[in-house]
Coordinates of all heavy atoms in Angstrom, one line a residue:
L10 N -7.0 17.1 19.1 CA -7.3 16.8 17.7 C -8.0 18.0 17.0 O -9.0 18.5 17.5 CB -8.3 15.6 17.6 CG -8.9 15.2 16.3 CD1 -7.7 14.7 15.4 CD2 -10.0 14.2 16.4
R11 N -7.4 18.4 15.9 CA -8.0 19.5 15.1 C -8.8 18.8 14.0 O -8.3 18.2 13.1 CB -6.9 20.4 14.5 CG -6.3 21.2 15.6 CD -5.5 22.4 15.0 NE -6.2 23.0 13.8 CZ -5.5 23.7 12.9 NH1 -4.2 23.9 13.0 NH2 -6.2 24.3 11.9
V12 N -10.1 18.9 14.2 CA -11.0 18.1 13.3 C -10.8 18.6 11.8 O -10.9 17.8 10.9 CB -12.5 18.3 13.7 CG1 -13.5 17.7 12.7 CG2 -12.7 17.7 15.1
D13 N -10.6 19.9 11.6 CA -10.4 20.4 10.2 C -9.2 19.8 9.6 O -9.2 19.4 8.4 CB -10.4 21.9 10.2 CG -9.2 22.5 11.0 OD1 -8.9 21.9 12.1 OD2 -8.7 23.5 10.6
V14 N -8.1 19.6 10.3 CA -6.9 19.0 9.8 C -7.1 17.5 9.6 O -6.7 17.0 8.5 CB -5.7 19.3 10.8 CG1 -4.4 18.5 10.3 CG2 -5.4 20.8 10.9
W15 N -7.7 16.9 10.5 CA -8.0 15.4 10.4 C -8.9 15.1 9.2 O -8.6 14.2 8.4 CB -8.6 14.9 11.7 CG -8.9 13.5 11.7 CD1 -10.2 12.9 11.7 CD2 -8.0 12.4 11.6 NE1 -10.1 11.5 11.7 CE2 -8.7 11.2 11.6 CE3 -6.6 12.3 11.5 CZ2 -8.1 9.9 11.6 CZ3 -6.0 11.0 11.5 CH2 -6.8 9.9 11.5
D16 N -9.9 16.0 9.0 CA -10.8 15.8 7.8 C -10.0 15.9 6.5 O -10.2 15.2 5.6 CB -11.9 16.8 7.9 CG -13.0 16.4 9.0 OD1 -12.9 15.2 9.4 OD2 -13.8 17.3 9.3
R17 N -9.1 16.9 6.5 CA -8.3 17.1 5.2 C -7.4 15.9 5.0 O -7.2 15.5 3.9 CB -7.4 18.4 5.3 CG -8.2 19.6 5.0 CD -7.3 20.8 4.7 NE -6.1 20.9 5.5 CZ -5.9 21.7 6.6 NH1 -7.0 22.3 7.0 NH2 -4.8 21.7 7.2
W18 N -6.8 15.4 6.1 CA -6.0 14.2 6.0 C -6.8 13.0 5.5 O -6.3 12.3 4.6 CB -5.3 13.8 7.3 CG -4.3 12.7 7.2 CD1 -3.0 12.9 6.9 CD2 -4.5 11.3 7.2 NE1 -2.4 11.7 6.8 CE2 -3.3 10.7 7.0 CE3 -5.6 10.5 7.4 CZ2 -3.2 9.3 7.0 CZ3 -5.5 9.2 7.4 CH2 -4.3 8.6 7.2
L19 N -8.0 12.8 6.0 CA -8.8 11.7 5.6 C -9.2 11.8 4.1 O -9.4 10.7 3.5 CB -10.1 11.6 6.4 CG -9.9 11.2 7.9 CD1 -11.2 11.2 8.6 CD2 -9.3 9.8 7.9
E20 N -9.3 13.0 3.5 CA -9.5 13.1 2.1 C -8.5 12.4 1.2 O -8.7 12.1 0.1 CB -9.6 14.6 1.7 CG -10.9 15.3 2.2 CD -10.8 16.8 1.9 OE1 -10.0 17.2 1.1 OE2 -11.6 17.5 2.6
H21 N -7.3 12.3 1.8 CA -6.1 11.7 1.1 C -5.7 10.4 1.7 O -4.7 9.8 1.3 CB -4.9 12.7 1.1 CG -5.3 14.0 0.5 ND1 -5.4 14.2 -0.8 CD2 -5.6 15.2 1.1 CE1 -5.7 15.5 -1.1 NE2 -5.9 16.1 0.1
D22 N -6.5 9.8 2.6 CA -6.2 8.5 3.2 C -6.2 7.5 2.1 O -7.2 7.3 1.4 CB -7.2 8.2 4.3 CG -7.1 6.8 4.8 OD1 -5.9 6.3 4.9 OD2 -8.1 6.2 5.1
P23 N -5.1 6.7 1.9 CA -5.1 5.8 0.8 C -6.2 4.7 0.8 O -6.7 4.4 -0.3 CB -3.7 5.1 1.0 CG -2.9 6.1 1.7 CD -3.9 6.8 2.6
V24 N -6.6 4.3 2.0 CA -7.7 3.3 2.0 C -9.0 3.9 1.6 O -9.7 3.3 0.8 CB -7.8 2.7 3.5 CG1 -8.9 1.8 3.6 CG2 -6.5 2.1 3.9
R25 N -9.3 5.1 2.0 CA -10.5 5.8 1.5 C -10.4 6.1 0.0 O -11.4 6.0 -0.7 CB -10.7 7.0 2.3 CG -11.2 6.7 3.7 CD -11.4 8.0 4.5 NE -11.8 7.7 5.9 CZ -12.8 8.2 6.5 NH1 -13.5 9.2 6.0 NH2 -13.0 7.9 7.8
V26 N -9.3 6.5 -0.4 CA -9.1 6.8 -1.9 C -9.3 5.5 -2.7 O -10.0 5.5 -3.7 CB -7.8 7.4 -2.2 CG1 -7.5 7.5 -3.6 CG2 -7.7 8.8 -1.5
A27 N -8.8 4.4 -2.2 CA -8.9 3.2 -2.9 C -10.4 2.7 -2.9 O -10.8 2.1 -3.9 CB -8.0 2.1 -2.2
A28 N -11.1 3.0 -1.9 CA -12.5 2.5 -1.8 C -13.4 3.4 -2.7 O -14.5 3.0 -3.1 CB -13.0 2.6 -0.4
G29 N -12.9 4.5 -3.1 CA -13.6 5.4 -4.0 C -13.2 5.3 -5.4 O -12.4 4.5 -5.8
G30 N -13.8 6.0 -6.3 CA -13.6 5.9 -7.7 C -12.2 6.3 -8.2 O -11.7 6.0 -9.2
Q31 N -11.5 7.1 -7.3 CA -10.1 7.5 -7.7 C -9.2 6.4 -7.9 O -8.2 6.5 -8.7 CB -9.6 8.5 -6.7 CG -10.4 9.8 -6.5 CD -10.3 10.4 -5.2 OE1 -10.4 9.7 -4.2 NE2 -10.0 11.7 -5.1
A32 N -9.4 5.3 -7.3 CA -8.5 4.1 -7.4 C -8.6 3.5 -8.8 O -7.7 2.7 -9.2 CB -8.8 3.1 -6.3
D33 N -9.7 3.7 -9.5 CA -9.9 3.1 -10.8 C -8.8 3.4 -11.8 O -8.5 2.7 -12.7 CB -11.2 3.5 -11.4 CG -12.4 2.9 -10.6 OD1 -12.2 1.9 -9.9 OD2 -13.5 3.4 -10.7
A34 N -8.0 4.5 -11.6 CA -6.9 4.8 -12.4 C -5.8 3.8 -12.3 O -5.0 3.6 -13.3 CB -6.3 6.2 -12.0
L35 N -5.8 3.0 -11.2 CA -4.8 1.9 -11.1 C -5.0 0.8 -12.0 O -4.2 -0.1 -12.2 CB -4.8 1.5 -9.6 CG -4.3 2.5 -8.6 CD1 -4.5 1.9 -7.2 CD2 -2.9 2.9 -8.9
R36 N -6.2 0.7 -12.6 CA -6.6 -0.5 -13.5 C -5.6 -0.5 -14.7 O -5.3 -1.6 -15.2 CB -8.0 -0.4 -14.0 CG -9.0 -0.6 -12.9 CD -10.4 -0.6 -13.5 NE -11.4 -0.4 -12.5 CZ -11.8 -1.3 -11.6 NH1 -11.2 -2.5 -11.6 NH2 -12.7 -1.0 -10.7
G37 N -5.1 0.6 -15.1 CA -4.3 0.6 -16.2 C -2.8 0.3 -15.9 O -2.0 0.2 -16.8
F38 N -2.5 0.2 -14.7 CA -1.1 -0.1 -14.3 C -0.8 -1.6 -14.6 O -1.6 -2.5 -14.4 CB -0.9 0.1 -12.8 CG -0.8 1.6 -12.4 CD1 -1.5 2.6 -13.1 CD2 0.0 2.0 -11.3 CE1 -1.4 3.9 -12.7 CE2 0.1 3.3 -10.9 CZ -0.6 4.2 -11.6
S39 N 0.5 -1.8 -15.0 CA 0.9 -3.2 -15.2 C 1.1 -3.9 -13.9 O 1.1 -5.1 -13.8 CB 2.3 -3.1 -16.0 OG 2.1 -2.5 -17.2
L40 N 1.4 -3.1 -12.8 CA 1.7 -3.7 -11.5 C 1.4 -2.8 -10.4 O 1.8 -1.6 -10.5 CB 3.2 -4.2 -11.5 CG 3.7 -4.7 -10.1 CD1 3.0 -6.1 -9.9 CD2 5.2 -4.8 -10.1
V41 N 0.7 -3.2 -9.4 CA 0.5 -2.5 -8.2 C 1.1 -3.4 -7.1 O 0.6 -4.5 -6.9 CB -1.0 -2.2 -7.9 CG1 -1.1 -1.5 -6.5 CG2 -1.6 -1.4 -9.0
W42 N 2.2 -3.0 -6.5 CA 2.9 -3.8 -5.5 C 2.9 -3.1 -4.2 O 3.2 -1.9 -4.1 CB 4.4 -3.9 -6.0 CG 5.2 -4.8 -5.1 CD1 5.8 -4.5 -3.9 CD2 5.6 -6.1 -5.4 NE1 6.5 -5.5 -3.4 CE2 6.4 -6.5 -4.3 CE3 5.4 -7.0 -6.5 CZ2 6.9 -7.8 -4.2 CZ3 5.9 -8.2 -6.4 CH2 6.7 -8.6 -5.3
I43 N 2.4 -3.8 -3.2 CA 2.4 -3.3 -1.8 C 3.0 -4.3 -0.9 O 2.6 -5.5 -0.9 CB 0.9 -3.0 -1.4 CG1 0.3 -2.0 -2.3 CG2 0.9 -2.6 0.1 CD1 -1.2 -1.7 -2.1
D44 N 4.0 -3.9 -0.1 CA 4.6 -4.8 0.8 C 4.9 -4.1 2.1 O 4.9 -2.9 2.2 CB 5.9 -5.5 0.2 CG 7.1 -4.6 0.1 OD1 7.0 -3.4 0.4 OD2 8.1 -5.1 -0.4
A45 N 5.1 -4.9 3.1 CA 5.5 -4.4 4.5 C 6.1 -5.6 5.3 O 5.9 -6.7 4.9 CB 4.3 -3.8 5.2
G46 N 6.8 -5.2 6.3 CA 7.3 -6.2 7.2 C 6.2 -6.6 8.3 O 5.4 -5.7 8.6
T47 N 6.2 -7.8 8.7 CA 5.2 -8.2 9.7 C 5.5 -7.6 11.1 O 4.6 -7.6 11.9 CB 5.2 -9.7 9.8 OG1 6.5 -10.2 10.2 CG2 4.7 -10.4 8.6
K48 N 6.7 -7.0 11.2 CA 7.0 -6.4 12.5 C 7.4 -4.9 12.3 O 8.3 -4.4 12.9 CB 8.2 -7.1 13.1 CG 8.0 -8.6 13.4 CD 9.2 -9.3 13.9 CE 8.9 -10.8 14.1 NZ 9.7 -11.6 13.3
D49 N 6.7 -4.3 11.3 CA 6.9 -2.9 11.0 C 6.8 -2.0 12.2 O 5.8 -2.1 12.9 CB 6.0 -2.4 9.9 CG 6.4 -1.1 9.3 OD1 6.0 -0.1 9.9 OD2 7.1 -1.1 8.3
E50 N 7.8 -1.2 12.5 CA 7.8 -0.3 13.6 C 6.7 0.7 13.6 O 6.3 1.2 14.7 CB 9.2 0.4 13.8 CG 10.3 -0.5 14.0 CD 10.9 -1.2 12.8 OE1 10.4 -1.0 11.7 OE2 11.9 -2.0 12.9
D51 N 6.2 1.0 12.4 CA 5.1 2.0 12.3 C 3.8 1.3 12.0 O 2.8 1.9 11.8 CB 5.4 2.9 11.1 CG 6.7 3.7 11.4 OD1 6.9 4.2 12.5 OD2 7.5 3.8 10.5
Q52 N 3.8 0.0 12.1 CA 2.5 -0.9 12.0 C 1.9 -0.7 10.6 O 0.7 -0.8 10.4 CB 1.5 -0.5 13.1 CG 2.1 -0.6 14.5 CD 2.7 -1.9 14.9 OE1 2.1 -2.9 14.7 NE2 3.9 -1.9 15.4
L53 N 2.7 -0.4 9.6 CA 2.2 -0.2 8.2 C 1.5 -1.5 7.6 O 0.7 -1.3 6.7 CB 3.3 0.2 7.3 CG 3.9 1.6 7.6 CD1 5.0 2.0 6.6 CD2 2.8 2.7 7.6
Q54 N 1.9 -2.6 8.1 CA 1.2 -3.8 7.6 C -0.3 -3.8 7.8 O -1.0 -4.4 6.9 CB 1.9 -5.1 8.2 CG 1.5 -5.4 9.7 CD 2.5 -4.7 10.6 OE1 3.0 -3.7 10.4 NE2 2.6 -5.3 11.8
Y55 N -0.8 -3.2 8.8 CA -2.2 -3.2 9.1 C -2.9 -2.3 8.1 O -4.0 -2.6 7.5 CB -2.5 -2.8 10.5 CG -1.9 -3.7 11.5 CD1 -0.9 -3.3 12.3 CD2 -2.3 -5.1 11.6 CE1 -0.3 -4.2 13.2 CE2 -1.7 -6.0 12.4 CZ -0.7 -5.5 13.3 OH -0.1 -6.4 14.2
G56 N -2.4 -1.1 7.8 CA -2.9 -0.2 6.8 C -2.8 -0.8 5.4 O -3.7 -0.7 4.6
N57 N -1.7 -1.5 5.1 CA -1.5 -2.2 3.8 C -2.6 -3.2 3.6 O -3.1 -3.3 2.5 CB -0.1 -2.8 3.7 CG 1.0 -1.8 3.4 OD1 0.7 -0.7 3.2 ND2 2.2 -2.3 3.4
R58 N -2.9 -4.0 4.6 CA -4.0 -5.0 4.5 C -5.3 -4.3 4.2 O -6.0 -4.9 3.3 CB -4.1 -5.8 5.8 CG -2.9 -6.7 6.1 CD -3.0 -7.3 7.4 NE -1.7 -7.9 7.8 CZ -1.4 -8.4 9.0 NH1 -2.3 -8.2 10.0 NH2 -0.2 -8.9 9.3
Q59 N -5.6 -3.2 4.8 CA -6.8 -2.5 4.5 C -6.8 -2.0 3.1 O -7.8 -2.0 2.4 CB -7.1 -1.4 5.5 CG -7.4 -1.9 6.9 CD -7.5 -0.7 7.9 OE1 -7.3 0.4 7.5 NE2 -8.0 -1.0 9.1
L60 N -5.7 -1.4 2.7 CA -5.6 -0.9 1.3 C -5.7 -2.0 0.3 O -6.5 -1.8 -0.7 CB -4.2 -0.2 1.2 CG -3.9 0.4 -0.2 CD1 -4.9 1.4 -0.7 CD2 -2.5 1.0 -0.2
V61 N -5.1 -3.1 0.5 CA -5.2 -4.2 -0.5 C -6.6 -4.7 -0.5 O -7.2 -4.9 -1.6 CB -4.2 -5.4 -0.1 CG1 -4.5 -6.6 -0.8 CG2 -2.8 -4.9 -0.3
A62 N -7.3 -4.8 0.6 CA -8.7 -5.3 0.6 C -9.6 -4.3 -0.2 O -10.5 -4.7 -0.9 CB -9.2 -5.4 2.0
A63 N -9.3 -3.0 0.0 CA -10.1 -2.0 -0.7 C -9.9 -2.1 -2.2 O -10.8 -1.9 -3.0 CB -9.8 -0.6 -0.2
L64 N -8.7 -2.3 -2.6 CA -8.4 -2.4 -4.0 C -9.0 -3.6 -4.6 O -9.6 -3.6 -5.7 CB -6.8 -2.4 -4.3 CG -6.1 -1.1 -4.0 CD1 -4.6 -1.3 -4.0 CD2 -6.6 0.0 -4.9
Q65 N -8.9 -4.7 -3.9 CA -9.4 -6.0 -4.4 C -11.0 -5.9 -4.5 O -11.6 -6.5 -5.4 CB -9.0 -7.2 -3.5 CG -7.5 -7.5 -3.7 CD -7.0 -8.5 -2.7 OE1 -7.5 -8.7 -1.6 NE2 -5.9 -9.2 -3.1
A66 N -11.6 -5.2 -3.5 CA -13.0 -5.0 -3.6 C -13.5 -4.3 -4.8 O -14.6 -4.5 -5.3 CB -13.5 -4.3 -2.3
R67 N -12.6 -3.5 -5.4 CA -12.9 -2.8 -6.6 C -12.3 -3.6 -7.8 O -12.3 -3.1 -8.9 CB -12.3 -1.4 -6.6 CG -12.9 -0.5 -5.5 CD -12.6 0.9 -5.7 NE -13.2 1.5 -6.9 CZ -14.4 1.9 -7.1 NH1 -15.3 1.8 -6.1 NH2 -14.8 2.4 -8.2
E68 N -11.9 -4.8 -7.6 CA -11.4 -5.7 -8.6 C -10.2 -5.1 -9.3 O -10.0 -5.2 -10.5 CB -12.5 -6.1 -9.6 CG -13.6 -6.9 -8.9 CD -14.7 -7.3 -9.9 OE1 -14.7 -6.8 -11.0 OE2 -15.6 -8.1 -9.4
I69 N -9.3 -4.5 -8.5 CA -8.0 -4.0 -9.0 C -7.0 -5.0 -8.6 O -6.8 -5.3 -7.4 CB -7.8 -2.6 -8.5 CG1 -8.8 -1.6 -9.0 CG2 -6.4 -2.1 -8.8 CD1 -8.8 -0.2 -8.3
A70 N -6.2 -5.4 -9.6 CA -5.2 -6.4 -9.3 C -4.0 -5.8 -8.5 O -3.6 -4.7 -8.8 CB -4.6 -7.0 -10.6
V71 N -3.6 -6.5 -7.5 CA -2.6 -6.0 -6.6 C -1.8 -7.1 -6.1 O -2.3 -8.2 -5.8 CB -3.2 -5.1 -5.4 CG1 -4.1 -5.9 -4.6 CG2 -2.1 -4.5 -4.6
T72 N -0.4 -7.0 -6.0 CA 0.4 -7.9 -5.4 C 0.8 -7.4 -4.0 O 1.2 -6.3 -3.9 CB 1.7 -8.1 -6.3 OG1 1.4 -8.5 -7.6 CG2 2.7 -9.1 -5.6
H73 N 0.5 -8.3 -3.1 CA 0.7 -7.9 -1.7 C 1.6 -9.0 -1.0 O 1.4 -10.2 -1.1 CB -0.6 -7.9 -1.0 CG -0.5 -7.6 0.5 ND1 -1.2 -8.3 1.4 CD2 0.2 -6.7 1.2 CE1 -1.0 -7.9 2.6 NE2 -0.1 -6.9 2.5
E74 N 2.7 -8.5 -0.4 CA 3.6 -9.4 0.3 C 3.9 -8.8 1.7 O 4.0 -7.6 1.9 CB 4.9 -9.5 -0.4 CG 4.9 -10.4 -1.6 CD 6.3 -10.8 -2.1 OE1 7.3 -10.4 -1.5 OE2 6.4 -11.5 -3.1
E75 N 3.9 -9.7 2.7 CA 4.4 -9.4 4.0 C 5.6 -10.3 4.3 O 5.5 -11.5 4.1 CB 3.3 -9.6 5.0 CG 2.2 -8.5 4.9 CD 1.2 -8.6 6.0 OE1 1.4 -9.2 7.1 OE2 0.1 -7.9 5.9
V76 N 6.6 -9.7 4.7 CA 7.8 -10.4 5.0 C 8.2 -10.3 6.5 O 7.8 -9.3 7.1 CB 9.0 -10.0 4.1 CG1 8.7 -10.2 2.6 CG2 9.3 -8.5 4.3
D77 N 8.9 -11.3 7.0 CA 9.4 -11.2 8.3 C 10.4 -10.1 8.5 O 11.4 -10.0 7.7 CB 10.0 -12.5 8.7 CG 10.3 -12.6 10.2 OD1 9.5 -12.1 11.0 OD2 11.4 -13.2 10.6
G78 N 10.1 -9.1 9.3 CA 11.0 -8.0 9.5 C 10.3 -6.7 9.8 O 9.0 -6.7 9.9
G79 N 11.0 -5.6 9.8 CA 10.5 -4.3 10.1 C 10.5 -3.4 9.0 O 10.5 -3.8 7.8
H80 N 10.6 -2.1 9.3 CA 10.5 -1.0 8.3 C 11.9 -0.8 7.7 O 12.0 -0.2 6.6 CB 10.0 0.2 9.0 CG 9.5 1.3 8.0 ND1 8.3 1.2 7.4 CD2 10.1 2.4 7.6 CE1 8.2 2.2 6.6 NE2 9.2 3.0 6.7
R81 N 12.9 -1.2 8.3 CA 14.3 -0.9 7.8 C 14.9 -2.2 7.4 O 14.5 -3.3 7.7 CB 15.1 -0.3 9.0 CG 14.6 1.1 9.3 CD 15.1 1.6 10.7 NE 14.4 2.7 11.2 CZ 13.2 2.7 11.7 NH1 12.5 1.6 11.8 NH2 12.6 3.8 12.2
G82 N 16.0 -2.1 6.7 CA 16.8 -3.3 6.3 C 15.9 -4.1 5.3 O 15.8 -5.3 5.5
V83 N 15.4 -3.5 4.3 CA 14.4 -4.2 3.4 C 15.1 -4.7 2.1 O 14.3 -5.1 1.3 CB 13.3 -3.2 3.1 CG1 12.5 -2.8 4.3 CG2 13.8 -2.0 2.3
S84 N 16.4 -4.7 2.1 CA 17.0 -5.1 0.8 C 16.7 -6.5 0.4 O 16.7 -6.8 -0.8 CB 18.5 -4.9 0.9 OG 19.1 -5.6 1.9
D85 N 16.4 -7.4 1.3 CA 16.0 -8.8 1.0 C 14.7 -8.8 0.2 O 14.4 -9.7 -0.6 CB 15.9 -9.6 2.2 CG 14.9 -9.2 3.2 OD1 14.8 -7.9 3.4 OD2 14.2 -10.0 3.8
R86 N 13.9 -7.8 0.3 CA 12.6 -7.7 -0.4 C 12.8 -7.5 -1.9 O 12.0 -7.8 -2.8 CB 11.7 -6.6 0.1 CG 11.2 -6.8 1.5 CD 10.3 -5.7 1.9 NE 10.3 -5.6 3.3 CZ 9.7 -4.7 4.0 NH1 9.0 -3.7 3.4 NH2 9.7 -4.7 5.3
Y87 N 14.0 -6.9 -2.3 CA 14.3 -6.6 -3.6 C 14.3 -7.8 -4.5 O 14.1 -7.7 -5.7 CB 15.6 -5.8 -3.8 CG 15.6 -4.5 -3.0 CD1 16.8 -3.9 -2.6 CD2 14.4 -3.8 -2.8 CE1 16.8 -2.7 -1.9 CE2 14.4 -2.6 -2.1 CZ 15.6 -2.0 -1.7 OH 15.6 -0.8 -1.0
D88 N 14.7 -9.0 -4.0 CA 14.7 -10.2 -4.7 C 13.3 -10.5 -5.3 O 13.2 -11.2 -6.3 CB 15.1 -11.4 -3.9 CG 16.6 -11.3 -3.5 OD1 17.4 -10.5 -4.1 OD2 17.0 -12.0 -2.5
H89 N 12.2 -10.0 -4.7 CA 10.9 -10.3 -5.1 C 10.4 -9.1 -5.9 O 9.8 -9.3 -7.0 CB 9.9 -10.5 -3.9 CG 10.3 -11.7 -3.2 ND1 9.5 -12.9 -3.2 CD2 11.3 -12.0 -2.3 CE1 10.0 -13.8 -2.4 NE2 11.1 -13.3 -1.9
S90 N 10.5 -7.9 -5.4 CA 9.9 -6.8 -6.0 C 10.6 -6.3 -7.3 O 9.9 -6.0 -8.3 CB 9.8 -5.6 -5.0 OG 11.1 -5.2 -4.6
L91 N 11.9 -6.2 -7.3 CA 12.6 -5.7 -8.5 C 12.3 -6.5 -9.8 O 12.1 -5.9 -10.8 CB 14.0 -5.4 -8.2 CG 14.3 -4.3 -7.2 CD1 15.8 -4.1 -7.0 CD2 13.7 -3.0 -7.7
P92 N 12.4 -7.8 -9.7 CA 12.1 -8.5 -10.9 C 10.7 -8.3 -11.4 O 10.4 -8.2 -12.6 CB 12.3 -10.0 -10.6 CG 13.3 -9.9 -9.4 CD 12.9 -8.7 -8.7
A93 N 9.7 -8.2 -10.5 CA 8.3 -8.0 -10.9 C 8.2 -6.6 -11.5 O 7.5 -6.4 -12.5 CB 7.4 -8.1 -9.7
I94 N 8.8 -5.6 -10.9 CA 8.8 -4.2 -11.4 C 9.4 -4.2 -12.8 O 8.9 -3.5 -13.7 CB 9.4 -3.2 -10.4 CG1 8.6 -3.1 -9.2 CG2 9.6 -1.9 -11.1 CD1 9.3 -2.5 -8.0
T95 N 10.5 -4.8 -13.0 CA 11.2 -4.9 -14.2 C 10.3 -5.5 -15.3 O 10.2 -4.9 -16.4 CB 12.6 -5.6 -14.1 OG1 13.4 -5.0 -13.1 CG2 13.3 -5.7 -15.4
R96 N 9.7 -6.6 -15.0 CA 8.8 -7.2 -16.0 C 7.6 -6.3 -16.3 O 7.2 -6.2 -17.5 CB 8.2 -8.5 -15.4 CG 9.2 -9.7 -15.5 CD 8.6 -11.0 -15.1 NE 8.0 -11.0 -13.8 CZ 8.6 -11.3 -12.7 NH1 9.9 -11.6 -12.7 NH2 8.0 -11.3 -11.5
A97 N 7.1 -5.6 -15.3 CA 6.0 -4.7 -15.5 C 6.4 -3.5 -16.4 O 5.6 -3.0 -17.3 CB 5.4 -4.2 -14.2
L98 N 7.6 -3.0 -16.2 CA 8.0 -1.9 -17.0 C 8.3 -2.3 -18.5 O 8.3 -1.4 -19.4 CB 9.3 -1.3 -16.4 CG 9.1 -0.5 -15.1 CD1 10.4 -0.1 -14.5 CD2 8.2 0.7 -15.3
A99 N 8.6 -3.5 -18.7 CA 9.0 -4.0 -20.0 C 7.7 -4.2 -20.9 O 7.9 -4.4 -22.1 CB 9.8 -5.3 -19.9
V100 N 6.6 -4.2 -20.3 CA 5.3 -4.5 -21.0 C 5.0 -3.3 -21.9 O 5.1 -2.2 -21.6 CB 4.2 -4.8 -20.0 CG1 2.9 -4.9 -20.8 CG2 4.5 -6.0 -19.2

């Protein structure tokens, strides 16, 4: 482990960023959408849960979905996310 590299990475860690004041910029977004599969091969669902909790702790609205599946073959998620994104863009 190179501590200097790890420290630089942590400066951009989404969970830490969300817990800090930088996440306040998201308040102006029409939609913040975060999703992952419950069987994600990279285990992203766990980081997503932490990210969502950090955003909610700052009272930033976020839509969070976990679907059965992994990191690939996500086209079934589009039935949920694309209509929501389209509505957010139309605002």
